[in-house]
Amino acid sequence: MSDNVTDLFHRRLAAADARIERGNRERTAGADDRARAIAEEAARRGRGGPRQLSIELDVSEKTISQAIARARRAGDDNRHTLPADTLQRLLAAELNDLPPLAGPQWRALRHLVRSTFIDEVWIEAPGELLAQEVQDADLAESFRPAELAEVCRSWSRAQALAVIDACQRDDLTALPVVGEG
């Protein structure tokens, strides 16, 4: 058992490190985008543009000059990536196509998701893994666990990940409830 606990610990650390790295990359991409916006606006304004921007943005002319230099170094690499909020918008769109469940069923799923370590393995078959969690849980018959497990299995990969995301964020208001429109 100790090896399983240690393995789980190391997977959790690796997942946390990966999340930090994604955040660092996103921060760098955002700074590059900001620098490009400043450089393009300074160029559009022509002679005196950097000075005008420094006044408008309440920063030094050196800061504007550094942004322009960063934009040159950054090049166009990040211009061909999806907007930063693409994943959030995709998950929200997937929730719109879900069949509604009873409020208590969503709350049961939220509890299961929030008490389960979800790692990269879940990407392959999140609906099936969630269904297995439902089946392994000691849910009262009033939650209709067999039906709930089948619903989880029926979700597309993106829908299941959207549900998991909403449950992890404790945002049950994003999920369709039977009888609510």
Side-chain angles (χ1 to χ4, degrees):
M1 171 130 170
S2 179
D3 289 337
N4 289 339
V5 172
T6 301
D7 184 46
L8 177 62
F9 167 70
H10 286 284
R11 286 189 314 172
R12 290 181 69 191
L13 284 181
D17 289 343
R19 188 172 186 184
I20 290 167
E21 183 57 34
R22 281 191 306 274
N24 289 340
R25 283 192 310 268
E26 193 61 32
R27 187 176 299 107
T28 298
D32 289 347
D33 288 348
R34 186 175 201 282
R36 280 190 209 94
I38 289 170
E40 289 169 9
E41 183 61 17
R44 188 189 69 76
R45 292 182 184 198
R47 185 179 165 98
R51 178 164 170 63
Q52 291 172 358
L53 283 175
S54 72
I55 294 167
E56 184 178 324
L57 299 176
D58 196 26
V59 297
S60 70
E61 286 185 56
K62 180 179 178 184
T63 299
I64 299 298
S65 175
Q66 289 171 334
I68 292 169
R70 180 182 185 127
R72 285 187 194 122
R73 286 190 311 271
D76 289 338
D77 291 344
N78 290 330
R79 290 183 177 204
H80 302 290
T81 61
L82 295 170
D85 67 342
T86 299
L87 176 61
Q88 289 76 25
R89 290 174 35 216
L90 169 67
L91 295 176
E94 289 298 325
L95 293 178
N96 290 332
D97 295 331
L98 286 176
L101 292 175
Q105 288 177 308
W106 285 126
R107 288 189 291 281
L109 281 176
R110 176 190 57 199
H111 175 74
L112 289 174
V113 166
R114 292 175 64 93
S115 63
T116 301
F117 176 64
I118 296 176
D119 62 5
E120 65 277 356
V121 172
W122 282 68
I123 292 171
E124 292 305 315
E128 176 59 33
L129 292 172
L130 196 51
Q132 291 174 15
E133 290 294 324
V134 168
Q135 289 174 322
D136 292 345
D138 190 23
L139 293 177
E141 277 305 311
S142 62
F143 290 103
R144 300 190 310 270
E147 174 189 311
L148 185 55
E150 284 309 307
V151 169
C152 292
R153 283 187 179 94
S154 74
W155 292 331
S156 70
R157 178 183 293 166
Q159 287 174 324
L161 290 172
V163 168
I164 290 168
D165 178 66
C167 290
Q168 286 180 328
R169 290 182 294 104
D170 199 19
D171 185 11
L172 295 185
T173 60
L175 301 168
V177 178
V178 172
E180 293 184 12

